[in-house]
Amino acid sequence: MENSVAYEKATELRLGLPGIDEPAVLSSVKNNKRPLHDEKSGENGKSAENETAPPSKAQIVGWPPVQSYRKNNFQQAKKSESECGGIYVKVSMDGAPYLRKIDLKVYKGYPELLQVLENMFKFTIGDYSEREGYKGSDYEPTYEDKDGDWMLVGDVPWEMFIRSCKRLRIMKGSEARGLSCSGV
Amino acid sequence: MNMNYFPDEVVEHVFDFITSHKDRNSVSLVCKSWYKIERYSRQRVFIGNCYSITPQRLIARFPGLKSLTLKGKPHFADFNLVPHDWGGFVYPWIKALAKSRIGLEELRLKRMVVSDDSLELLSKSFPNFKSLVLVSCEGFTTDGVAAIAANCRFLRELDLQENEVEDHRGHWLSCFPESCTSLVSLNFACLKGEINLASLERLVARSPNLKSLRLNRVVPLDTLQKLLMRAPQLVDLGIGSYVDDPSSEVFSKLKAVIQLCNSIRSLSGFLEVAPCCMSAIYPICENLTFLNLSYAPGLQGNDLTKLVQHCRKLQRLWILDCIGDKGLGVVASTCKELQELRVFPSDPFDAENAAVTEEGLVLISAGCPKLNSLLYFCHQMTNAALITVAKNCTNFIRFRLCILDPVKADPVTNQPLDEGFGAIVRSNKSLKRLSLSGLLTDQVFLYIGMYAKKLEMLSIAFAGDSNKGMLYVLNGCKKLRKLEIRDCPFGDVALLQDMGKYETMRSLWMSSCEVTLGACKTLAKKMPSLNVEIINESEKLESEQLELSFDDRLLVDKMYLYRTLVGDRKDAPEYVWLL
């Protein structure tokens, strides 16, 4: 099926260099229309699968109709985010033989960070509450901030946290519980 | 009493009250005497297609011209469908105006190619020049902007919107002389490079009439705070970089000065933003009528929602789809004055994670009775939702829906979206602009032809089954001015059925359709008042293909036709064939 489509396209008289992406992609889109009318007829369904990428992911020229200025802006914003360089901090865990390093910029917020720490060191962090810190586990995630103080992870907004965090330490046992007192 | 008994000055005075272009055009057609009076008194001219007339004829007819608006490239140029040097050069216009006695004061350009030379010539040729507005233009650098700053002694408005500008990181801002104190509006958000912050502060300090200021991303928060101290009278503010530690002294100062800025009605920018700083903005949210966060990808859905909750008087909202359906629900319950909503995709290439669906739109339609203008990028749409929207909203003037996955059917029923769009056009009798998307058959065009009697602009992509679709539209939409079509099975039969129709329209664009070269040639031959252009981008055609290119059966990739009073243009590049 795919071959006959390609043959048709090759013999169609069109102004333009042969082998440009655009006609090929468009033919996949046009073919996809039919399966939605008929109930997913086998051949058409197959040809859709055989294409290298579904229409939404393939780069159809000029689609979606977003101004190129806007599109360029987002690409630049994404680029500059990654170009900024990561915020790499050391992570230590009480009792573990060696430290790890992670890039805080990669994560979108606390839940993701805590999940990663749990996976990295194979332990469970308790549930966070503003009043009581992390309940339900022997471990508490802490960090050293710009002023050299050891703080509980999760109290300040994420953006502020990644800007002020110098290193992370997963504290264990009684030392940890001392930190989680709400009194400052 | 017959107006012809009045002396010309009286008639002219009456005409002063007639400001809309359409009305003035109508007035000039009444009789020779009115034509003459009108043309001498006309100060503002709008030219929707720069190739429909020449600058010489413009100057000859309107010697009193003060303000000119020009549009160049076709709309689909926004989406990279038109090569950069296709045309739309402003230089010949400025050159002709400069040679004449026209006292140009205002120039507004959209989708035109503007060179630094043009800007320099402009800045030196019109001593009373006051206002330059460039929208979606290209071809200039900050050197051209510097010339405007340096030479236009009475400049009031320098408004650069969404232009691709080569930034020479120069000193354009420092080129405003110390004697320049007339600025009312300064928008340089689209410039990418560094500017002299001290110069900016001094400029704002000596501009007591400054009402609109839109900064670019290099202007940091502490400069913003200083600028607002100097200009608490601002009505329109575009923030560049908005990043700081909320516990800092600078941030406290900003919070304090924002309390003083109670004239701000329009807010945009946040090109770089730390969400934890947004709370400082809440005091001005109460009075905002326009909020544009569409260039602020640093704000997440709940940041946006929290902000919007304070914006009870909002009339226009431009936002990214990360606000989500729930966030749109908050908009619907808060912004009862909302007239215009634009929801842009946060990630144009990732349709799967698009965050708004038909649900958000339905919520908005139910909560915002004054809604009349919509641009909505979404992951999916259903007929049921569109029918509900059509019941809730009957005031739409602009309705543009873009489902990111082209030809996507109603996910619930697997049907095309014909009925949904049909409901929209049936209940919104004032609809002037419509963009379609999703799976659509000829049926939707039948509805459009039947009901969209006031429609002026229609954009179609990947829709329809046959020529009938296009014919329904051409026959039914009497007020149609602009029709743009891509990737639809419309061909010669539809194109040639009613050639006279195109003289009543500004332009027609058809790309990747089924129109042949022969049909285009026929149209061009039979209609001398139309320019029919074929854009053929494969510049490096082999000689064998060149021979092929004379075959009338060839399907044309891109065709753009427009009515004109002045025949073929002389500035088309080689790959544009003027038939």
PDB file of all heavy atoms in Angstrom, chain B residues 46-50 52 71-73 111 456-457 479-483 501-508 529-531 560-564:
ATOM      1  N   PHE B  46      -5.515  53.601   4.417  1.00  0.00           N
ATOM      2  CA  PHE B  46      -5.201  52.209   4.736  1.00  0.00           C
ATOM      3  C   PHE B  46      -5.111  51.424   3.426  1.00  0.00           C
ATOM      4  O   PHE B  46      -6.053  51.422   2.636  1.00  0.00           O
ATOM      5  CB  PHE B  46      -6.322  51.627   5.620  1.00  0.00           C
ATOM      6  CG  PHE B  46      -6.248  50.144   5.802  1.00  0.00           C
ATOM      7  CD1 PHE B  46      -5.495  49.595   6.825  1.00  0.00           C
ATOM      8  CD2 PHE B  46      -6.946  49.277   4.953  1.00  0.00           C
ATOM      9  CE1 PHE B  46      -5.422  48.217   7.001  1.00  0.00           C
ATOM     10  CE2 PHE B  46      -6.877  47.901   5.122  1.00  0.00           C
ATOM     11  CZ  PHE B  46      -6.115  47.375   6.147  1.00  0.00           C
ATOM     12  N   ILE B  47      -3.979  50.768   3.200  1.00  0.00           N
ATOM     13  CA  ILE B  47      -3.818  49.965   1.975  1.00  0.00           C
ATOM     14  C   ILE B  47      -3.552  48.530   2.396  1.00  0.00           C
ATOM     15  O   ILE B  47      -2.467  48.195   2.861  1.00  0.00           O
ATOM     16  CB  ILE B  47      -2.668  50.524   1.114  1.00  0.00           C
ATOM     17  CG1 ILE B  47      -3.027  51.941   0.650  1.00  0.00           C
ATOM     18  CG2 ILE B  47      -2.400  49.622  -0.087  1.00  0.00           C
ATOM     19  CD1 ILE B  47      -1.956  52.623  -0.155  1.00  0.00           C
ATOM     20  N   GLY B  48      -4.554  47.666   2.219  1.00  0.00           N
ATOM     21  CA  GLY B  48      -4.477  46.300   2.726  1.00  0.00           C
ATOM     22  C   GLY B  48      -3.538  45.401   1.946  1.00  0.00           C
ATOM     23  O   GLY B  48      -3.095  44.376   2.443  1.00  0.00           O
ATOM     24  N   ASN B  49      -3.231  45.796   0.719  1.00  0.00           N
ATOM     25  CA  ASN B  49      -2.293  45.029  -0.088  1.00  0.00           C
ATOM     26  C   ASN B  49      -1.424  46.030  -0.829  1.00  0.00           C
ATOM     27  O   ASN B  49      -1.899  46.763  -1.696  1.00  0.00           O
ATOM     28  CB  ASN B  49      -3.051  44.136  -1.076  1.00  0.00           C
ATOM     29  CG  ASN B  49      -2.129  43.426  -2.044  1.00  0.00           C
ATOM     30  OD1 ASN B  49      -0.890  43.506  -1.930  1.00  0.00           O
ATOM     31  ND2 ASN B  49      -2.689  42.730  -3.010  1.00  0.00           N
ATOM     32  N   CYS B  50      -0.156  46.074  -0.477  1.00  0.00           N
ATOM     33  CA  CYS B  50       0.712  47.124  -1.028  1.00  0.00           C
ATOM     34  C   CYS B  50       0.869  47.031  -2.537  1.00  0.00           C
ATOM     35  O   CYS B  50       1.324  47.980  -3.178  1.00  0.00           O
ATOM     36  CB  CYS B  50       2.088  47.074  -0.354  1.00  0.00           C
ATOM     37  SG  CYS B  50       2.993  45.547  -0.671  1.00  0.00           S
ATOM     38  N   SER B  52      -1.693  46.579  -4.593  1.00  0.00           N
ATOM     39  CA  SER B  52      -2.951  46.907  -5.265  1.00  0.00           C
ATOM     40  C   SER B  52      -2.901  48.308  -5.865  1.00  0.00           C
ATOM     41  O   SER B  52      -3.723  48.650  -6.705  1.00  0.00           O
ATOM     42  CB  SER B  52      -4.110  46.809  -4.274  1.00  0.00           C
ATOM     43  OG  SER B  52      -3.906  47.709  -3.205  1.00  0.00           O
ATOM     44  N   LYS B  71       0.046  46.896   4.207  1.00  0.00           N
ATOM     45  CA  LYS B  71       0.279  45.488   4.511  1.00  0.00           C
ATOM     46  C   LYS B  71       0.905  44.822   3.292  1.00  0.00           C
ATOM     47  O   LYS B  71       0.544  45.128   2.160  1.00  0.00           O
ATOM     48  CB  LYS B  71      -1.041  44.795   4.840  1.00  0.00           C
ATOM     49  CG  LYS B  71      -1.644  45.252   6.151  1.00  0.00           C
ATOM     50  CD  LYS B  71      -2.823  44.354   6.494  1.00  0.00           C
ATOM     51  CE  LYS B  71      -3.483  44.751   7.782  1.00  0.00           C
ATOM     52  NZ  LYS B  71      -4.595  43.829   8.109  1.00  0.00           N
ATOM     53  N   GLY B  72       1.827  43.915   3.552  1.00  0.00           N
ATOM     54  CA  GLY B  72       2.597  43.333   2.448  1.00  0.00           C
ATOM     55  C   GLY B  72       2.274  41.883   2.170  1.00  0.00           C
ATOM     56  O   GLY B  72       1.383  41.547   1.419  1.00  0.00           O
ATOM     57  N   LYS B  73       3.017  40.994   2.839  1.00  0.00           N
ATOM     58  CA  LYS B  73       2.911  39.576   2.507  1.00  0.00           C
ATOM     59  C   LYS B  73       1.559  39.003   2.898  1.00  0.00           C
ATOM     60  O   LYS B  73       0.911  39.479   3.831  1.00  0.00           O
ATOM     61  CB  LYS B  73       3.999  38.795   3.248  1.00  0.00           C
ATOM     62  CG  LYS B  73       5.385  39.180   2.824  1.00  0.00           C
ATOM     63  CD  LYS B  73       6.411  38.296   3.512  1.00  0.00           C
ATOM     64  CE  LYS B  73       7.792  38.885   3.284  1.00  0.00           C
ATOM     65  NZ  LYS B  73       8.811  38.208   4.051  1.00  0.00           N
ATOM     66  N   ARG B 111       3.803  42.889   7.998  1.00  0.00           N
ATOM     67  CA  ARG B 111       4.344  41.878   7.084  1.00  0.00           C
ATOM     68  C   ARG B 111       5.022  42.508   5.880  1.00  0.00           C
ATOM     69  O   ARG B 111       4.804  42.097   4.733  1.00  0.00           O
ATOM     70  CB  ARG B 111       3.234  40.921   6.611  1.00  0.00           C
ATOM     71  CG  ARG B 111       3.107  39.725   7.510  1.00  0.00           C
ATOM     72  CD  ARG B 111       2.044  38.764   7.022  1.00  0.00           C
ATOM     73  NE  ARG B 111       1.103  38.541   8.085  1.00  0.00           N
ATOM     74  CZ  ARG B 111      -0.167  38.920   8.077  1.00  0.00           C
ATOM     75  NH1 ARG B 111      -0.681  39.522   7.029  1.00  0.00           N
ATOM     76  NH2 ARG B 111      -0.925  38.685   9.123  1.00  0.00           N
ATOM     77  N   GLU B 456     -15.833  37.825   6.272  1.00  0.00           N
ATOM     78  CA  GLU B 456     -14.874  38.545   5.433  1.00  0.00           C
ATOM     79  C   GLU B 456     -13.581  37.783   5.222  1.00  0.00           C
ATOM     80  O   GLU B 456     -12.915  37.945   4.207  1.00  0.00           O
ATOM     81  CB  GLU B 456     -14.562  39.908   6.054  1.00  0.00           C
ATOM     82  CG  GLU B 456     -15.774  40.821   6.079  1.00  0.00           C
ATOM     83  CD  GLU B 456     -15.493  42.189   6.669  1.00  0.00           C
ATOM     84  OE1 GLU B 456     -14.312  42.519   6.903  1.00  0.00           O
ATOM     85  OE2 GLU B 456     -16.458  42.932   6.898  1.00  0.00           O
ATOM     86  N   MET B 457     -13.208  36.974   6.204  1.00  0.00           N
ATOM     87  CA  MET B 457     -11.953  36.236   6.057  1.00  0.00           C
ATOM     88  C   MET B 457     -12.125  34.797   6.500  1.00  0.00           C
ATOM     89  O   MET B 457     -12.639  34.539   7.589  1.00  0.00           O
ATOM     90  CB  MET B 457     -10.854  36.906   6.889  1.00  0.00           C
ATOM     91  CG  MET B 457      -9.508  36.215   6.742  1.00  0.00           C
ATOM     92  SD  MET B 457      -8.212  37.229   7.473  1.00  0.00           S
ATOM     93  CE  MET B 457      -6.786  36.145   7.270  1.00  0.00           C
ATOM     94  N   LYS B 479     -19.711  38.736   1.375  1.00  0.00           N
ATOM     95  CA  LYS B 479     -18.812  39.769   1.874  1.00  0.00           C
ATOM     96  C   LYS B 479     -17.367  39.308   1.955  1.00  0.00           C
ATOM     97  O   LYS B 479     -16.529  39.990   2.523  1.00  0.00           O
ATOM     98  CB  LYS B 479     -19.252  40.172   3.286  1.00  0.00           C
ATOM     99  CG  LYS B 479     -20.638  40.704   3.376  1.00  0.00           C
ATOM    100  CD  LYS B 479     -20.594  42.195   3.402  1.00  0.00           C
ATOM    101  CE  LYS B 479     -21.986  42.758   3.391  1.00  0.00           C
ATOM    102  NZ  LYS B 479     -22.049  44.141   3.694  1.00  0.00           N
ATOM    103  N   LEU B 480     -17.089  38.145   1.382  1.00  0.00           N
ATOM    104  CA  LEU B 480     -15.761  37.570   1.528  1.00  0.00           C
ATOM    105  C   LEU B 480     -14.694  38.483   0.930  1.00  0.00           C
ATOM    106  O   LEU B 480     -14.826  38.936  -0.211  1.00  0.00           O
ATOM    107  CB  LEU B 480     -15.723  36.205   0.839  1.00  0.00           C
ATOM    108  CG  LEU B 480     -14.571  35.278   1.202  1.00  0.00           C
ATOM    109  CD1 LEU B 480     -14.626  34.921   2.683  1.00  0.00           C
ATOM    110  CD2 LEU B 480     -14.613  34.036   0.348  1.00  0.00           C
ATOM    111  N   ARG B 481     -13.639  38.738   1.704  1.00  0.00           N
ATOM    112  CA  ARG B 481     -12.543  39.550   1.189  1.00  0.00           C
ATOM    113  C   ARG B 481     -11.245  38.761   1.064  1.00  0.00           C
ATOM    114  O   ARG B 481     -10.471  38.941   0.139  1.00  0.00           O
ATOM    115  CB  ARG B 481     -12.310  40.772   2.081  1.00  0.00           C
ATOM    116  CG  ARG B 481     -13.439  41.786   2.019  1.00  0.00           C
ATOM    117  CD  ARG B 481     -13.109  43.076   2.739  1.00  0.00           C
ATOM    118  NE  ARG B 481     -12.743  42.876   4.123  1.00  0.00           N
ATOM    119  CZ  ARG B 481     -11.547  43.159   4.631  1.00  0.00           C
ATOM    120  NH1 ARG B 481     -10.602  43.647   3.874  1.00  0.00           N
ATOM    121  NH2 ARG B 481     -11.302  42.947   5.904  1.00  0.00           N
ATOM    122  N   LYS B 482     -10.990  37.907   2.052  1.00  0.00           N
ATOM    123  CA  LYS B 482      -9.752  37.137   2.008  1.00  0.00           C
ATOM    124  C   LYS B 482     -10.055  35.660   2.216  1.00  0.00           C
ATOM    125  O   LYS B 482     -10.719  35.282   3.181  1.00  0.00           O
ATOM    126  CB  LYS B 482      -8.800  37.615   3.101  1.00  0.00           C
ATOM    127  CG  LYS B 482      -8.204  38.988   2.825  1.00  0.00           C
ATOM    128  CD  LYS B 482      -7.240  39.388   3.905  1.00  0.00           C
ATOM    129  CE  LYS B 482      -7.942  40.008   5.095  1.00  0.00           C
ATOM    130  NZ  LYS B 482      -6.952  40.510   6.090  1.00  0.00           N
ATOM    131  N   LEU B 483      -9.559  34.859   1.302  1.00  0.00           N
ATOM    132  CA  LEU B 483      -9.746  33.412   1.405  1.00  0.00           C
ATOM    133  C   LEU B 483      -8.383  32.765   1.291  1.00  0.00           C
ATOM    134  O   LEU B 483      -7.641  33.026   0.334  1.00  0.00           O
ATOM    135  CB  LEU B 483     -10.668  32.918   0.293  1.00  0.00           C
ATOM    136  CG  LEU B 483     -10.988  31.414   0.242  1.00  0.00           C
ATOM    137  CD1 LEU B 483     -11.622  30.933   1.541  1.00  0.00           C
ATOM    138  CD2 LEU B 483     -11.899  31.101  -0.939  1.00  0.00           C
ATOM    139  N   LYS B 501     -15.737  36.991  -9.133  1.00  0.00           N
ATOM    140  CA  LYS B 501     -15.810  37.056  -7.665  1.00  0.00           C
ATOM    141  C   LYS B 501     -14.523  37.638  -7.081  1.00  0.00           C
ATOM    142  O   LYS B 501     -14.555  38.377  -6.103  1.00  0.00           O
ATOM    143  CB  LYS B 501     -16.048  35.637  -7.118  1.00  0.00           C
ATOM    144  CG  LYS B 501     -15.939  35.482  -5.619  1.00  0.00           C
ATOM    145  CD  LYS B 501     -17.182  35.965  -4.910  1.00  0.00           C
ATOM    146  CE  LYS B 501     -17.063  35.701  -3.410  1.00  0.00           C
ATOM    147  NZ  LYS B 501     -18.167  36.314  -2.676  1.00  0.00           N
ATOM    148  N   TYR B 502     -13.384  37.300  -7.700  1.00  0.00           N
ATOM    149  CA  TYR B 502     -12.112  37.718  -7.115  1.00  0.00           C
ATOM    150  C   TYR B 502     -11.889  39.213  -7.196  1.00  0.00           C
ATOM    151  O   TYR B 502     -11.059  39.768  -6.471  1.00  0.00           O
ATOM    152  CB  TYR B 502     -10.953  36.945  -7.760  1.00  0.00           C
ATOM    153  CG  TYR B 502     -11.153  35.446  -7.725  1.00  0.00           C
ATOM    154  CD1 TYR B 502     -11.083  34.684  -8.890  1.00  0.00           C
ATOM    155  CD2 TYR B 502     -11.447  34.795  -6.531  1.00  0.00           C
ATOM    156  CE1 TYR B 502     -11.299  33.308  -8.865  1.00  0.00           C
ATOM    157  CE2 TYR B 502     -11.665  33.423  -6.499  1.00  0.00           C
ATOM    158  CZ  TYR B 502     -11.597  32.694  -7.669  1.00  0.00           C
ATOM    159  OH  TYR B 502     -11.832  31.343  -7.638  1.00  0.00           O
ATOM    160  N   GLU B 503     -12.640  39.867  -8.065  1.00  0.00           N
ATOM    161  CA  GLU B 503     -12.520  41.326  -8.107  1.00  0.00           C
ATOM    162  C   GLU B 503     -13.211  41.971  -6.915  1.00  0.00           C
ATOM    163  O   GLU B 503     -12.977  43.138  -6.607  1.00  0.00           O
ATOM    164  CB  GLU B 503     -13.138  41.872  -9.403  1.00  0.00           C
ATOM    165  CG  GLU B 503     -12.199  41.817 -10.570  1.00  0.00           C
ATOM    166  CD  GLU B 503     -12.840  42.359 -11.834  1.00  0.00           C
ATOM    167  OE1 GLU B 503     -14.095  42.386 -11.887  1.00  0.00           O
ATOM    168  OE2 GLU B 503     -12.098  42.747 -12.751  1.00  0.00           O
ATOM    169  N   THR B 504     -14.071  41.204  -6.252  1.00  0.00           N
ATOM    170  CA  THR B 504     -14.755  41.744  -5.071  1.00  0.00           C
ATOM    171  C   THR B 504     -13.986  41.413  -3.800  1.00  0.00           C
ATOM    172  O   THR B 504     -14.404  41.756  -2.703  1.00  0.00           O
ATOM    173  CB  THR B 504     -16.172  41.156  -4.936  1.00  0.00           C
ATOM    174  OG1 THR B 504     -16.064  39.771  -4.587  1.00  0.00           O
ATOM    175  CG2 THR B 504     -16.952  41.305  -6.220  1.00  0.00           C
ATOM    176  N   MET B 505     -12.870  40.698  -3.972  1.00  0.00           N
ATOM    177  CA  MET B 505     -12.091  40.266  -2.818  1.00  0.00           C
ATOM    178  C   MET B 505     -10.712  40.909  -2.851  1.00  0.00           C
ATOM    179  O   MET B 505     -10.246  41.320  -3.923  1.00  0.00           O
ATOM    180  CB  MET B 505     -11.896  38.751  -2.871  1.00  0.00           C
ATOM    181  CG  MET B 505     -13.166  37.958  -2.623  1.00  0.00           C
ATOM    182  SD  MET B 505     -12.971  36.207  -3.071  1.00  0.00           S
ATOM    183  CE  MET B 505     -11.563  35.734  -2.087  1.00  0.00           C
ATOM    184  N   ARG B 506     -10.057  40.940  -1.699  1.00  0.00           N
ATOM    185  CA  ARG B 506      -8.694  41.436  -1.680  1.00  0.00           C
ATOM    186  C   ARG B 506      -7.743  40.395  -2.276  1.00  0.00           C
ATOM    187  O   ARG B 506      -6.902  40.715  -3.108  1.00  0.00           O
ATOM    188  CB  ARG B 506      -8.242  41.791  -0.263  1.00  0.00           C
ATOM    189  CG  ARG B 506      -6.855  42.422  -0.256  1.00  0.00           C
ATOM    190  CD  ARG B 506      -6.301  42.615   1.136  1.00  0.00           C
ATOM    191  NE  ARG B 506      -7.092  43.520   1.948  1.00  0.00           N
ATOM    192  CZ  ARG B 506      -6.860  43.742   3.243  1.00  0.00           C
ATOM    193  NH1 ARG B 506      -5.859  43.120   3.850  1.00  0.00           N
ATOM    194  NH2 ARG B 506      -7.612  44.565   3.935  1.00  0.00           N
ATOM    195  N   SER B 507      -7.887  39.148  -1.807  1.00  0.00           N
ATOM    196  CA  SER B 507      -6.916  38.146  -2.255  1.00  0.00           C
ATOM    197  C   SER B 507      -7.411  36.726  -2.041  1.00  0.00           C
ATOM    198  O   SER B 507      -8.311  36.478  -1.236  1.00  0.00           O
ATOM    199  CB  SER B 507      -5.589  38.318  -1.498  1.00  0.00           C
ATOM    200  OG  SER B 507      -5.774  38.069  -0.120  1.00  0.00           O
ATOM    201  N   LEU B 508      -6.784  35.801  -2.773  1.00  0.00           N
ATOM    202  CA  LEU B 508      -7.021  34.366  -2.617  1.00  0.00           C
ATOM    203  C   LEU B 508      -5.677  33.669  -2.580  1.00  0.00           C
ATOM    204  O   LEU B 508      -4.829  33.900  -3.441  1.00  0.00           O
ATOM    205  CB  LEU B 508      -7.849  33.822  -3.789  1.00  0.00           C
ATOM    206  CG  LEU B 508      -7.940  32.285  -3.894  1.00  0.00           C
ATOM    207  CD1 LEU B 508      -8.745  31.710  -2.737  1.00  0.00           C
ATOM    208  CD2 LEU B 508      -8.567  31.860  -5.223  1.00  0.00           C
ATOM    209  N   SER B 529      -7.567  42.567 -14.221  1.00  0.00           N
ATOM    210  CA  SER B 529      -7.520  43.329 -12.972  1.00  0.00           C
ATOM    211  C   SER B 529      -7.000  42.500 -11.812  1.00  0.00           C
ATOM    212  O   SER B 529      -6.962  42.956 -10.672  1.00  0.00           O
ATOM    213  CB  SER B 529      -8.928  43.814 -12.641  1.00  0.00           C
ATOM    214  OG  SER B 529      -9.768  42.678 -12.568  1.00  0.00           O
ATOM    215  N   LEU B 530      -6.627  41.246 -12.099  1.00  0.00           N
ATOM    216  CA  LEU B 530      -6.063  40.399 -11.048  1.00  0.00           C
ATOM    217  C   LEU B 530      -4.600  40.106 -11.362  1.00  0.00           C
ATOM    218  O   LEU B 530      -4.250  39.887 -12.519  1.00  0.00           O
ATOM    219  CB  LEU B 530      -6.790  39.052 -10.981  1.00  0.00           C
ATOM    220  CG  LEU B 530      -8.277  39.023 -10.681  1.00  0.00           C
ATOM    221  CD1 LEU B 530      -8.773  37.570 -10.704  1.00  0.00           C
ATOM    222  CD2 LEU B 530      -8.581  39.649  -9.342  1.00  0.00           C
ATOM    223  N   ASN B 531      -3.785  40.079 -10.334  1.00  0.00           N
ATOM    224  CA  ASN B 531      -2.443  39.526 -10.483  1.00  0.00           C
ATOM    225  C   ASN B 531      -2.472  38.098  -9.983  1.00  0.00           C
ATOM    226  O   ASN B 531      -2.890  37.860  -8.842  1.00  0.00           O
ATOM    227  CB  ASN B 531      -1.427  40.326  -9.652  1.00  0.00           C
ATOM    228  CG  ASN B 531      -0.995  41.596 -10.351  1.00  0.00           C
ATOM    229  OD1 ASN B 531      -1.368  41.852 -11.489  1.00  0.00           O
ATOM    230  ND2 ASN B 531      -0.188  42.391  -9.666  1.00  0.00           N
ATOM    231  N   TYR B 560      -1.119  32.698  -5.435  1.00  0.00           N
ATOM    232  CA  TYR B 560      -1.620  33.839  -4.680  1.00  0.00           C
ATOM    233  C   TYR B 560      -2.144  34.832  -5.692  1.00  0.00           C
ATOM    234  O   TYR B 560      -1.404  35.278  -6.572  1.00  0.00           O
ATOM    235  CB  TYR B 560      -0.487  34.454  -3.856  1.00  0.00           C
ATOM    236  CG  TYR B 560      -0.870  35.660  -3.035  1.00  0.00           C
ATOM    237  CD1 TYR B 560      -1.935  35.614  -2.131  1.00  0.00           C
ATOM    238  CD2 TYR B 560      -0.146  36.845  -3.124  1.00  0.00           C
ATOM    239  CE1 TYR B 560      -2.269  36.719  -1.366  1.00  0.00           C
ATOM    240  CE2 TYR B 560      -0.473  37.951  -2.357  1.00  0.00           C
ATOM    241  CZ  TYR B 560      -1.540  37.885  -1.479  1.00  0.00           C
ATOM    242  OH  TYR B 560      -1.863  38.972  -0.705  1.00  0.00           O
ATOM    243  N   LEU B 561      -3.419  35.138  -5.607  1.00  0.00           N
ATOM    244  CA  LEU B 561      -3.948  36.124  -6.538  1.00  0.00           C
ATOM    245  C   LEU B 561      -4.613  37.256  -5.779  1.00  0.00           C
ATOM    246  O   LEU B 561      -5.140  37.058  -4.678  1.00  0.00           O
ATOM    247  CB  LEU B 561      -4.909  35.478  -7.541  1.00  0.00           C
ATOM    248  CG  LEU B 561      -6.236  34.895  -7.084  1.00  0.00           C
ATOM    249  CD1 LEU B 561      -7.319  35.964  -6.993  1.00  0.00           C
ATOM    250  CD2 LEU B 561      -6.694  33.841  -8.086  1.00  0.00           C
ATOM    251  N   TYR B 562      -4.555  38.449  -6.361  1.00  0.00           N
ATOM    252  CA  TYR B 562      -5.119  39.618  -5.700  1.00  0.00           C
ATOM    253  C   TYR B 562      -5.524  40.627  -6.746  1.00  0.00           C
ATOM    254  O   TYR B 562      -4.953  40.693  -7.830  1.00  0.00           O
ATOM    255  CB  TYR B 562      -4.112  40.226  -4.723  1.00  0.00           C
ATOM    256  CG  TYR B 562      -2.737  40.492  -5.311  1.00  0.00           C
ATOM    257  CD1 TYR B 562      -2.440  41.695  -5.934  1.00  0.00           C
ATOM    258  CD2 TYR B 562      -1.745  39.517  -5.242  1.00  0.00           C
ATOM    259  CE1 TYR B 562      -1.180  41.929  -6.477  1.00  0.00           C
ATOM    260  CE2 TYR B 562      -0.484  39.737  -5.785  1.00  0.00           C
ATOM    261  CZ  TYR B 562      -0.208  40.946  -6.401  1.00  0.00           C
ATOM    262  OH  TYR B 562       1.032  41.169  -6.933  1.00  0.00           O
ATOM    263  N   ARG B 563      -6.520  41.414  -6.371  1.00  0.00           N
ATOM    264  CA  ARG B 563      -6.949  42.445  -7.304  1.00  0.00           C
ATOM    265  C   ARG B 563      -5.987  43.629  -7.199  1.00  0.00           C
ATOM    266  O   ARG B 563      -5.393  43.887  -6.155  1.00  0.00           O
ATOM    267  CB  ARG B 563      -8.374  42.891  -7.027  1.00  0.00           C
ATOM    268  CG  ARG B 563      -8.527  43.634  -5.735  1.00  0.00           C
ATOM    269  CD  ARG B 563      -9.954  44.079  -5.531  1.00  0.00           C
ATOM    270  NE  ARG B 563     -10.080  44.668  -4.194  1.00  0.00           N
ATOM    271  CZ  ARG B 563     -11.235  44.935  -3.619  1.00  0.00           C
ATOM    272  NH1 ARG B 563     -12.364  44.656  -4.253  1.00  0.00           N
ATOM    273  NH2 ARG B 563     -11.280  45.470  -2.429  1.00  0.00           N
ATOM    274  N   THR B 564      -5.847  44.326  -8.324  1.00  0.00           N
ATOM    275  CA  THR B 564      -4.912  45.427  -8.350  1.00  0.00           C
ATOM    276  C   THR B 564      -5.332  46.435  -9.401  1.00  0.00           C
ATOM    277  O   THR B 564      -6.009  46.084 -10.368  1.00  0.00           O
ATOM    278  CB  THR B 564      -3.475  44.936  -8.646  1.00  0.00           C
ATOM    279  OG1 THR B 564      -2.601  46.061  -8.694  1.00  0.00           O
ATOM    280  CG2 THR B 564      -3.419  44.196  -9.974  1.00  0.00           C
TER     281      THR B 564
END
